Amino acid sequence: ATEVGQLAPLLGKEDTVQHVLPLLLALLRDENSEVRLNVISGLDSINEVIGVDLLSQSLMPAIAELAQDSKWRVRLAVIHSTPMLARQLGPTFF
């Protein structure tokens, strides 16, 4: 799961949206908490490639859902990623 996010800068925006983003969305819903945790930890590289608009439309609903995850480590990872997301999405989103 950590390596999938690293593909985004190599593939570019179009290929990332077409191939990587659907995979990340599926991984964010994986039953294994370590997988979900690793995806959240790698959001920086994805965000830099796909941009704010696609991030807010596609990944934010899944991330918001993970804020209520049963595993505390996943919820903590969401909290740690919040400042980066706030910087990227801006005050109008939050």
Side-chain angles (χ1 to χ4, degrees):
T2 54
E3 304 303 321
V4 174
Q6 302 303 317
L7 290 174
L10 301 172
L11 295 174
K13 183 176 181 174
E14 185 177 319
D15 285 334
T16 297
V17 170
Q18 185 176 2
H19 301 289
V20 177
L21 194 57
L23 181 57
L24 286 175
L25 290 171
L27 291 172
L28 283 171
R29 289 178 175 83
D30 194 277
E31 65 182 46
N32 187 324
S33 64
E34 289 295 319
V35 172
R36 298 188 306 268
L37 183 65
N38 288 331
V39 172
I40 294 168
S41 300
L43 285 178
D44 277 341
S45 58
I46 297 295
N47 184 39
E48 291 175 13
V49 174
I50 67 170
V52 174
D53 292 335
L54 284 173
L55 178 71
S56 64
Q57 292 172 6
S58 57
L59 289 178
M60 281 307 294
I63 294 168
E65 186 177 312
L66 288 176
Q68 299 174 11
D69 198 276
S70 63
K71 304 293 183 184
W72 69 267
R73 290 181 60 208
V74 174
R75 294 190 309 269
L76 182 64
V78 171
I79 290 169
H80 284 281
S81 69
T82 301
M84 178 273 302
L85 294 169
R87 278 192 306 276
Q88 299 295 327
L89 297 173
T92 56
F93 186 83
F94 279 89

